Amino acid sequence: MADTIEEKWPKSVVASIAFFFILVLMLATLAPNLMIDKVIQIEHKWGKELLTSADYKRVIDSTNKLYTSLIIDSGAKEMVADVFMPRGKKTVDAFEKNVGWWFNYLEARGEALQKIIYQIIFRGLLTLYWLPFFAVVVVPAVFAGYMRWQAKRHGFDYSSPFLNNNAAMMISWGGILLMLSLLAPIPLPPLVVCTLIIIILPVLLSVLIRNLPKQI
């Protein structure tokens, strides 16, 4: 009976989500608050220089709105505060005096976690900003790859399995790196993500399609 029940979430997806959250917690544990603040400041400066004032304001407003909805309004911020054991009235004075440094550390890690989540949201929305431009470029790239593949099917041109396999592998790794870039503890220039989405990915998709096997 259990074998006939289809899983709603593939194990690979669950493992990827769990691994992502583990990386978030590790980063919140190890990254100093000053470094996180510096990364946020630099990336926001780059974003402001790259985008128009209206677009940058739209990204910031969306980031603040989504962060407020997910973290503050949902009660997640209070939950994080409870998990990281902030000092309070119920804390025994003697115990607090002896291990006050531990409470300070946990409080700082809670702040770091909130800042990291805010930066993940900002980077994610900034990535989504480029999707309309990606759509404009990817449609002709896919069409060109498809037409070239059709020409190979009815001619004597060679479809390269090497190019096909490597293009697929690079697209897969690009997606993984794009997800990991949300957690990068260093400033990530928005132009890098823009180049990956608008230029490199459409080219790889075109190479992948034009080198599909002649018989599918």
Side-chain angles (χ1 to χ4, degrees):
M1 180 66 179
D3 295 338
T4 61
I5 299 177
E6 184 178 355
E7 294 184 0
K8 294 183 178 180
W9 292 89
K11 292 182 179 180
S12 58
V13 175
V14 176
S16 300
I17 295 175
F19 180 68
F20 184 82
F21 280 105
I22 290 174
L23 290 179
V24 171
L25 292 176
M26 289 179 60
L27 186 60
T29 302
L30 300 175
N33 282 355
L34 290 178
M35 185 183 77
I36 299 175
D37 292 338
K38 189 65 175 178
V39 170
I40 293 176
Q41 180 183 0
I42 293 175
E43 287 195 16
H44 283 226
K45 178 177 178 292
W46 286 340
K48 192 173 183 179
E49 293 174 350
L50 183 63
L51 307 180
T52 63
S53 299
D55 289 339
Y56 176 75
K57 184 178 183 300
R58 190 179 302 114
V59 172
I60 292 297
D61 291 342
S62 299
T63 301
N64 294 334
K65 184 182 299 183
L66 188 57
Y67 176 83
T68 301
S69 176
L70 293 177
I71 304 302
I72 299 178
D73 294 344
S74 65
K77 184 174 182 178
E78 288 76 10
M79 183 179 65
V80 170
D82 292 337
V83 170
F84 283 91
M85 299 169 57
R87 289 176 290 185
K89 296 180 180 180
K90 296 182 180 179
T91 306
V92 180
D93 294 339
F95 179 75
E96 183 179 358
K97 182 178 180 181
N98 292 331
V99 294
W101 60 270
W102 177 245
F103 286 101
N104 291 332
Y105 171 78
L106 292 177
E107 185 177 359
R109 294 307 89 208
E111 294 176 1
L113 180 59
Q114 295 173 37
K115 293 176 182 178
I116 290 171
I117 294 175
Y118 179 86
Q119 188 64 2
I120 289 175
I121 295 173
F122 173 76
R123 287 175 172 175
L125 291 177
L126 194 58
T127 300
L128 293 178
Y129 171 83
W130 302 111
L131 289 185
F133 302 95
F134 169 73
V136 171
V137 177
V138 76
V139 171
V142 170
F143 180 75
Y146 175 77
M147 295 303 295
R148 182 59 179 166
W149 174 63
Q150 288 290 340
K152 289 182 178 182
R153 290 186 66 187
H154 298 88
F156 298 98
D157 288 344
Y158 176 69
S159 292
S160 172
F162 174 80
L163 293 177
N164 179 269
N165 293 334
N166 280 275
M169 182 180 65
M170 292 179 68
I171 291 173
S172 299
W173 277 108
I176 294 173
L177 291 176
L178 192 61
M179 292 299 298
L180 292 178
S181 69
L182 299 176
L183 294 174
I186 59 175
L188 184 65
L191 194 59
V192 173
V193 179
C194 167
T195 303
L196 174 64
I197 294 178
I198 298 180
I199 299 178
I200 298 179
L201 187 55
V203 170
L204 291 176
L205 283 172
S206 181
V207 172
L208 172 68
I209 294 173
R210 74 176 58 185
N211 288 285
L212 287 171
K214 291 187 176 182
Q215 300 295 332
I216 297 181

mmCIF file of all heavy atoms in Angstrom, residues 110-146:
data_model
loop_
_atom_site.group_PDB
_atom_site.id
_atom_site.type_symbol
_atom_site.label_atom_id
_atom_site.label_comp_id
_atom_site.label_asym_id
_atom_site.label_seq_id
_atom_site.Cartn_x
_atom_site.Cartn_y
_atom_site.Cartn_z
ATOM 1 N N GLY A 110 20.933 35.919 16.284
ATOM 2 C CA GLY A 110 19.555 36.122 15.870
ATOM 3 C C GLY A 110 19.416 37.312 14.938
ATOM 4 O O GLY A 110 18.701 37.262 13.937
ATOM 5 N N GLU A 111 20.125 38.393 15.253
ATOM 6 C CA GLU A 111 20.120 39.564 14.378
ATOM 7 C C GLU A 111 20.743 39.234 13.025
ATOM 8 O O GLU A 111 20.252 39.681 11.977
ATOM 9 C CB GLU A 111 20.880 40.708 15.044
ATOM 10 C CG GLU A 111 20.214 41.248 16.305
ATOM 11 C CD GLU A 111 21.055 42.320 16.979
ATOM 12 O OE1 GLU A 111 22.141 42.636 16.430
ATOM 13 O OE2 GLU A 111 20.642 42.835 18.027
ATOM 14 N N ALA A 112 21.823 38.456 13.044
ATOM 15 C CA ALA A 112 22.477 38.073 11.791
ATOM 16 C C ALA A 112 21.552 37.239 10.920
ATOM 17 O O ALA A 112 21.496 37.423 9.697
ATOM 18 C CB ALA A 112 23.763 37.292 12.100
ATOM 19 N N LEU A 113 20.807 36.328 11.542
ATOM 20 C CA LEU A 113 19.880 35.491 10.778
ATOM 21 C C LEU A 113 18.814 36.337 10.097
ATOM 22 O O LEU A 113 18.472 36.115 8.928
ATOM 23 C CB LEU A 113 19.238 34.460 11.710
ATOM 24 C CG LEU A 113 18.233 33.494 11.063
ATOM 25 C CD1 LEU A 113 18.896 32.694 9.954
ATOM 26 C CD2 LEU A 113 17.635 32.567 12.112
ATOM 27 N N GLN A 114 18.285 37.327 10.790
ATOM 28 C CA GLN A 114 17.269 38.194 10.206
ATOM 29 C C GLN A 114 17.842 39.014 9.045
ATOM 30 O O GLN A 114 17.184 39.197 8.015
ATOM 31 C CB GLN A 114 16.696 39.116 11.277
ATOM 32 C CG GLN A 114 15.944 38.380 12.379
ATOM 33 C CD GLN A 114 15.527 39.301 13.506
ATOM 34 O OE1 GLN A 114 15.165 40.435 13.281
ATOM 35 N NE2 GLN A 114 15.589 38.809 14.728
ATOM 36 N N LYS A 115 19.063 39.498 9.198
ATOM 37 C CA LYS A 115 19.694 40.261 8.122
ATOM 38 C C LYS A 115 19.963 39.384 6.907
ATOM 39 O O LYS A 115 19.801 39.825 5.757
ATOM 40 C CB LYS A 115 20.993 40.885 8.622
ATOM 41 C CG LYS A 115 20.797 41.956 9.687
ATOM 42 C CD LYS A 115 22.138 42.453 10.212
ATOM 43 C CE LYS A 115 21.940 43.498 11.302
ATOM 44 N NZ LYS A 115 23.231 43.978 11.862
ATOM 45 N N ILE A 116 20.376 38.142 7.154
ATOM 46 C CA ILE A 116 20.651 37.215 6.048
ATOM 47 C C ILE A 116 19.367 36.922 5.283
ATOM 48 O O ILE A 116 19.357 36.894 4.043
ATOM 49 C CB ILE A 116 21.283 35.923 6.582
ATOM 50 C CG1 ILE A 116 22.711 36.205 7.077
ATOM 51 C CG2 ILE A 116 21.309 34.836 5.512
ATOM 52 C CD1 ILE A 116 23.340 35.053 7.820
ATOM 53 N N ILE A 117 18.274 36.702 6.002
ATOM 54 C CA ILE A 117 16.998 36.442 5.345
ATOM 55 C C ILE A 117 16.567 37.651 4.520
ATOM 56 O O ILE A 117 16.072 37.522 3.389
ATOM 57 C CB ILE A 117 15.922 36.078 6.388
ATOM 58 C CG1 ILE A 117 16.269 34.740 7.050
ATOM 59 C CG2 ILE A 117 14.540 36.008 5.747
ATOM 60 C CD1 ILE A 117 15.341 34.352 8.169
ATOM 61 N N TYR A 118 16.771 38.846 5.068
ATOM 62 C CA TYR A 118 16.432 40.070 4.319
ATOM 63 C C TYR A 118 17.250 40.157 3.034
ATOM 64 O O TYR A 118 16.715 40.471 1.966
ATOM 65 C CB TYR A 118 16.687 41.302 5.184
ATOM 66 C CG TYR A 118 16.396 42.608 4.489
ATOM 67 C CD1 TYR A 118 15.106 43.137 4.490
ATOM 68 C CD2 TYR A 118 17.401 43.307 3.815
ATOM 69 C CE1 TYR A 118 14.827 44.336 3.838
ATOM 70 C CE2 TYR A 118 17.130 44.489 3.162
ATOM 71 C CZ TYR A 118 15.838 45.002 3.178
ATOM 72 O OH TYR A 118 15.565 46.179 2.521
ATOM 73 N N GLN A 119 18.538 39.835 3.120
ATOM 74 C CA GLN A 119 19.392 39.909 1.944
ATOM 75 C C GLN A 119 19.038 38.835 0.924
ATOM 76 O O GLN A 119 19.129 39.063 -0.287
ATOM 77 C CB GLN A 119 20.866 39.793 2.360
ATOM 78 C CG GLN A 119 21.862 40.041 1.245
ATOM 79 C CD GLN A 119 21.797 41.466 0.702
ATOM 80 O OE1 GLN A 119 21.038 42.292 1.180
ATOM 81 N NE2 GLN A 119 22.592 41.733 -0.311
ATOM 82 N N ILE A 120 18.629 37.652 1.391
ATOM 83 C CA ILE A 120 18.186 36.597 0.471
ATOM 84 C C ILE A 120 16.957 37.060 -0.312
ATOM 85 O O ILE A 120 16.860 36.856 -1.527
ATOM 86 C CB ILE A 120 17.880 35.299 1.254
ATOM 87 C CG1 ILE A 120 19.177 34.665 1.769
ATOM 88 C CG2 ILE A 120 17.125 34.301 0.374
ATOM 89 C CD1 ILE A 120 18.960 33.458 2.654
ATOM 90 N N ILE A 121 16.020 37.696 0.392
ATOM 91 C CA ILE A 121 14.824 38.205 -0.277
ATOM 92 C C ILE A 121 15.196 39.280 -1.294
ATOM 93 O O ILE A 121 14.688 39.296 -2.429
ATOM 94 C CB ILE A 121 13.830 38.756 0.763
ATOM 95 C CG1 ILE A 121 13.319 37.618 1.666
ATOM 96 C CG2 ILE A 121 12.655 39.453 0.078
ATOM 97 C CD1 ILE A 121 12.457 38.096 2.816
ATOM 98 N N PHE A 122 16.102 40.183 -0.918
ATOM 99 C CA PHE A 122 16.531 41.244 -1.830
ATOM 100 C C PHE A 122 17.186 40.659 -3.074
ATOM 101 O O PHE A 122 16.872 41.071 -4.212
ATOM 102 C CB PHE A 122 17.497 42.176 -1.105
ATOM 103 C CG PHE A 122 18.137 43.209 -1.996
ATOM 104 C CD1 PHE A 122 17.418 44.316 -2.411
ATOM 105 C CD2 PHE A 122 19.452 43.063 -2.421
ATOM 106 C CE1 PHE A 122 17.998 45.264 -3.248
ATOM 107 C CE2 PHE A 122 20.046 44.005 -3.244
ATOM 108 C CZ PHE A 122 19.311 45.111 -3.658
ATOM 109 N N ARG A 123 18.080 39.699 -2.880
ATOM 110 C CA ARG A 123 18.756 39.091 -4.029
ATOM 111 C C ARG A 123 17.770 38.324 -4.904
ATOM 112 O O ARG A 123 17.885 38.345 -6.141
ATOM 113 C CB ARG A 123 19.869 38.162 -3.547
ATOM 114 C CG ARG A 123 21.084 38.888 -2.989
ATOM 115 C CD ARG A 123 22.094 37.904 -2.418
ATOM 116 N NE ARG A 123 23.337 38.573 -2.044
ATOM 117 C CZ ARG A 123 24.348 37.962 -1.441
ATOM 118 N NH1 ARG A 123 24.264 36.657 -1.150
ATOM 119 N NH2 ARG A 123 25.449 38.637 -1.129
ATOM 120 N N GLY A 124 16.834 37.629 -4.277
ATOM 121 C CA GLY A 124 15.848 36.886 -5.059
ATOM 122 C C GLY A 124 14.979 37.795 -5.906
ATOM 123 O O GLY A 124 14.746 37.525 -7.097
ATOM 124 N N LEU A 125 14.508 38.897 -5.332
ATOM 125 C CA LEU A 125 13.675 39.833 -6.088
ATOM 126 C C LEU A 125 14.482 40.544 -7.172
ATOM 127 O O LEU A 125 13.959 40.823 -8.256
ATOM 128 C CB LEU A 125 13.052 40.861 -5.134
ATOM 129 C CG LEU A 125 11.999 40.305 -4.174
ATOM 130 C CD1 LEU A 125 11.515 41.397 -3.224
ATOM 131 C CD2 LEU A 125 10.827 39.713 -4.938
ATOM 132 N N LEU A 126 15.757 40.812 -6.879
ATOM 133 C CA LEU A 126 16.599 41.446 -7.896
ATOM 134 C C LEU A 126 16.845 40.491 -9.061
ATOM 135 O O LEU A 126 16.941 40.916 -10.223
ATOM 136 C CB LEU A 126 17.928 41.876 -7.276
ATOM 137 C CG LEU A 126 18.794 42.833 -8.098
ATOM 138 C CD1 LEU A 126 18.029 44.111 -8.408
ATOM 139 C CD2 LEU A 126 20.085 43.157 -7.357
ATOM 140 N N THR A 127 16.926 39.190 -8.762
ATOM 141 C CA THR A 127 17.063 38.187 -9.824
ATOM 142 C C THR A 127 15.792 38.121 -10.666
ATOM 143 O O THR A 127 15.854 38.057 -11.908
ATOM 144 C CB THR A 127 17.358 36.814 -9.223
ATOM 145 O OG1 THR A 127 18.584 36.870 -8.470
ATOM 146 C CG2 THR A 127 17.501 35.757 -10.310
ATOM 147 N N LEU A 128 14.637 38.156 -10.009
ATOM 148 C CA LEU A 128 13.367 38.131 -10.740
ATOM 149 C C LEU A 128 13.197 39.369 -11.614
ATOM 150 O O LEU A 128 12.471 39.318 -12.617
ATOM 151 C CB LEU A 128 12.204 38.028 -9.750
ATOM 152 C CG LEU A 128 12.098 36.729 -8.952
ATOM 153 C CD1 LEU A 128 10.935 36.804 -7.975
ATOM 154 C CD2 LEU A 128 11.938 35.534 -9.888
ATOM 155 N N TYR A 129 13.870 40.447 -11.259
ATOM 156 C CA TYR A 129 13.773 41.677 -12.051
ATOM 157 C C TYR A 129 14.245 41.449 -13.484
ATOM 158 O O TYR A 129 13.741 42.088 -14.426
ATOM 159 C CB TYR A 129 14.600 42.775 -11.377
ATOM 160 C CG TYR A 129 14.753 44.041 -12.193
ATOM 161 C CD1 TYR A 129 13.757 45.019 -12.179
ATOM 162 C CD2 TYR A 129 15.881 44.256 -12.985
ATOM 163 C CE1 TYR A 129 13.887 46.175 -12.937
ATOM 164 C CE2 TYR A 129 16.018 45.405 -13.737
ATOM 165 C CZ TYR A 129 15.028 46.360 -13.705
ATOM 166 O OH TYR A 129 15.160 47.497 -14.454
ATOM 167 N N TRP A 130 15.215 40.525 -13.653
ATOM 168 C CA TRP A 130 15.783 40.320 -14.980
ATOM 169 C C TRP A 130 14.977 39.342 -15.828
ATOM 170 O O TRP A 130 15.288 39.165 -17.015
ATOM 171 C CB TRP A 130 17.218 39.801 -14.850
ATOM 172 C CG TRP A 130 18.111 40.702 -14.080
ATOM 173 C CD1 TRP A 130 18.655 40.467 -12.848
ATOM 174 C CD2 TRP A 130 18.569 42.009 -14.464
ATOM 175 N NE1 TRP A 130 19.414 41.536 -12.436
ATOM 176 C CE2 TRP A 130 19.376 42.500 -13.413
ATOM 177 C CE3 TRP A 130 18.365 42.812 -15.582
ATOM 178 C CZ2 TRP A 130 19.978 43.753 -13.456
ATOM 179 C CZ3 TRP A 130 18.966 44.062 -15.625
ATOM 180 C CH2 TRP A 130 19.764 44.507 -14.576
ATOM 181 N N LEU A 131 13.964 38.688 -15.277
ATOM 182 C CA LEU A 131 13.234 37.669 -16.025
ATOM 183 C C LEU A 131 12.544 38.201 -17.282
ATOM 184 O O LEU A 131 12.554 37.524 -18.314
ATOM 185 C CB LEU A 131 12.215 36.980 -15.104
ATOM 186 C CG LEU A 131 12.813 36.052 -14.042
ATOM 187 C CD1 LEU A 131 11.696 35.331 -13.283
ATOM 188 C CD2 LEU A 131 13.760 35.037 -14.665
ATOM 189 N N PRO A 132 11.914 39.383 -17.252
ATOM 190 C CA PRO A 132 11.331 39.881 -18.518
ATOM 191 C C PRO A 132 12.373 40.061 -19.618
ATOM 192 O O PRO A 132 12.104 39.753 -20.792
ATOM 193 C CB PRO A 132 10.702 41.223 -18.103
ATOM 194 C CG PRO A 132 10.435 41.083 -16.644
ATOM 195 C CD PRO A 132 11.561 40.250 -16.114
ATOM 196 N N PHE A 133 13.559 40.536 -19.253
ATOM 197 C CA PHE A 133 14.631 40.679 -20.245
ATOM 198 C C PHE A 133 15.086 39.300 -20.732
ATOM 199 O O PHE A 133 15.406 39.119 -21.911
ATOM 200 C CB PHE A 133 15.810 41.437 -19.638
ATOM 201 C CG PHE A 133 15.453 42.803 -19.130
ATOM 202 C CD1 PHE A 133 15.134 43.003 -17.795
ATOM 203 C CD2 PHE A 133 15.437 43.898 -19.983
ATOM 204 C CE1 PHE A 133 14.804 44.264 -17.319
ATOM 205 C CE2 PHE A 133 15.110 45.167 -19.525
ATOM 206 C CZ PHE A 133 14.787 45.351 -18.185
ATOM 207 N N PHE A 134 15.113 38.319 -19.804
ATOM 208 C CA PHE A 134 15.472 36.955 -20.172
ATOM 209 C C PHE A 134 14.473 36.387 -21.172
ATOM 210 O O PHE A 134 14.858 35.718 -22.141
ATOM 211 C CB PHE A 134 15.522 36.083 -18.915
ATOM 212 C CG PHE A 134 15.613 34.615 -19.199
ATOM 213 C CD1 PHE A 134 16.782 34.047 -19.679
ATOM 214 C CD2 PHE A 134 14.520 33.788 -18.981
ATOM 215 C CE1 PHE A 134 16.864 32.694 -19.941
ATOM 216 C CE2 PHE A 134 14.592 32.433 -19.234
ATOM 217 C CZ PHE A 134 15.762 31.886 -19.715
ATOM 218 N N ALA A 135 13.183 36.657 -20.958
ATOM 219 C CA ALA A 135 12.156 36.146 -21.867
ATOM 220 C C ALA A 135 12.332 36.714 -23.268
ATOM 221 O O ALA A 135 12.155 36.001 -24.269
ATOM 222 C CB ALA A 135 10.765 36.478 -21.324
ATOM 223 N N VAL A 136 12.703 37.985 -23.345
ATOM 224 C CA VAL A 136 12.892 38.623 -24.658
ATOM 225 C C VAL A 136 14.052 37.974 -25.408
ATOM 226 O O VAL A 136 14.001 37.809 -26.636
ATOM 227 C CB VAL A 136 13.145 40.137 -24.473
ATOM 228 C CG1 VAL A 136 13.556 40.778 -25.795
ATOM 229 C CG2 VAL A 136 11.913 40.819 -23.913
ATOM 230 N N VAL A 137 15.087 37.561 -24.685
ATOM 231 C CA VAL A 137 16.273 36.990 -25.325
ATOM 232 C C VAL A 137 16.125 35.491 -25.556
ATOM 233 O O VAL A 137 16.567 34.964 -26.583
ATOM 234 C CB VAL A 137 17.526 37.274 -24.470
ATOM 235 C CG1 VAL A 137 18.760 36.624 -25.079
ATOM 236 C CG2 VAL A 137 17.735 38.770 -24.314
ATOM 237 N N VAL A 138 15.500 34.788 -24.621
ATOM 238 C CA VAL A 138 15.481 33.329 -24.684
ATOM 239 C C VAL A 138 14.558 32.821 -25.788
ATOM 240 O O VAL A 138 14.816 31.748 -26.365
ATOM 241 C CB VAL A 138 15.074 32.730 -23.317
ATOM 242 C CG1 VAL A 138 13.579 32.850 -23.070
ATOM 243 C CG2 VAL A 138 15.503 31.272 -23.227
ATOM 244 N N VAL A 139 13.478 33.542 -26.092
ATOM 245 C CA VAL A 139 12.543 33.076 -27.128
ATOM 246 C C VAL A 139 13.226 32.958 -28.492
ATOM 247 O O VAL A 139 13.166 31.894 -29.137
ATOM 248 C CB VAL A 139 11.298 33.987 -27.193
ATOM 249 C CG1 VAL A 139 10.448 33.638 -28.414
ATOM 250 C CG2 VAL A 139 10.481 33.848 -25.922
ATOM 251 N N PRO A 140 13.909 33.998 -28.991
ATOM 252 C CA PRO A 140 14.613 33.812 -30.274
ATOM 253 C C PRO A 140 15.761 32.815 -30.182
ATOM 254 O O PRO A 140 16.068 32.135 -31.170
ATOM 255 C CB PRO A 140 15.125 35.224 -30.601
ATOM 256 C CG PRO A 140 15.085 35.981 -29.324
ATOM 257 C CD PRO A 140 13.973 35.390 -28.526
ATOM 258 N N ALA A 141 16.417 32.712 -28.998
ATOM 259 C CA ALA A 141 17.514 31.749 -28.865
ATOM 260 C C ALA A 141 16.986 30.320 -28.979
ATOM 261 O O ALA A 141 17.582 29.478 -29.661
ATOM 262 C CB ALA A 141 18.224 31.957 -27.525
ATOM 263 N N VAL A 142 15.867 30.038 -28.312
ATOM 264 C CA VAL A 142 15.276 28.706 -28.388
ATOM 265 C C VAL A 142 14.770 28.431 -29.807
ATOM 266 O O VAL A 142 14.939 27.321 -30.334
ATOM 267 C CB VAL A 142 14.131 28.572 -27.359
ATOM 268 C CG1 VAL A 142 13.344 27.288 -27.590
ATOM 269 C CG2 VAL A 142 14.697 28.593 -25.941
ATOM 270 N N PHE A 143 14.154 29.428 -30.422
ATOM 271 C CA PHE A 143 13.648 29.249 -31.791
ATOM 272 C C PHE A 143 14.795 28.978 -32.757
ATOM 273 O O PHE A 143 14.688 28.106 -33.637
ATOM 274 C CB PHE A 143 12.876 30.494 -32.222
ATOM 275 C CG PHE A 143 12.311 30.407 -33.611
ATOM 276 C CD1 PHE A 143 11.200 29.628 -33.873
ATOM 277 C CD2 PHE A 143 12.901 31.107 -34.659
ATOM 278 C CE1 PHE A 143 10.675 29.540 -35.155
ATOM 279 C CE2 PHE A 143 12.396 31.021 -35.940
ATOM 280 C CZ PHE A 143 11.269 30.239 -36.190
ATOM 281 N N ALA A 144 15.884 29.726 -32.613
ATOM 282 C CA ALA A 144 17.044 29.512 -33.492
ATOM 283 C C ALA A 144 17.627 28.118 -33.280
ATOM 284 O O ALA A 144 18.002 27.436 -34.237
ATOM 285 C CB ALA A 144 18.101 30.580 -33.226
ATOM 286 N N GLY A 145 17.720 27.696 -32.008
ATOM 287 C CA GLY A 145 18.226 26.352 -31.732
ATOM 288 C C GLY A 145 17.325 25.280 -32.310
ATOM 289 O O GLY A 145 17.808 24.277 -32.854
ATOM 290 N N TYR A 146 16.010 25.485 -32.218
ATOM 291 C CA TYR A 146 15.061 24.505 -32.750
ATOM 292 C C TYR A 146 15.161 24.418 -34.273
ATOM 293 O O TYR A 146 15.153 23.321 -34.848
ATOM 294 C CB TYR A 146 13.641 24.888 -32.329
ATOM 295 C CG TYR A 146 12.577 24.003 -32.919
ATOM 296 C CD1 TYR A 146 12.335 22.730 -32.409
ATOM 297 C CD2 TYR A 146 11.813 24.450 -34.003
ATOM 298 C CE1 TYR A 146 11.357 21.918 -32.965
ATOM 299 C CE2 TYR A 146 10.835 23.646 -34.564
ATOM 300 C CZ TYR A 146 10.615 22.381 -34.043
ATOM 301 O OH TYR A 146 9.647 21.582 -34.590
#
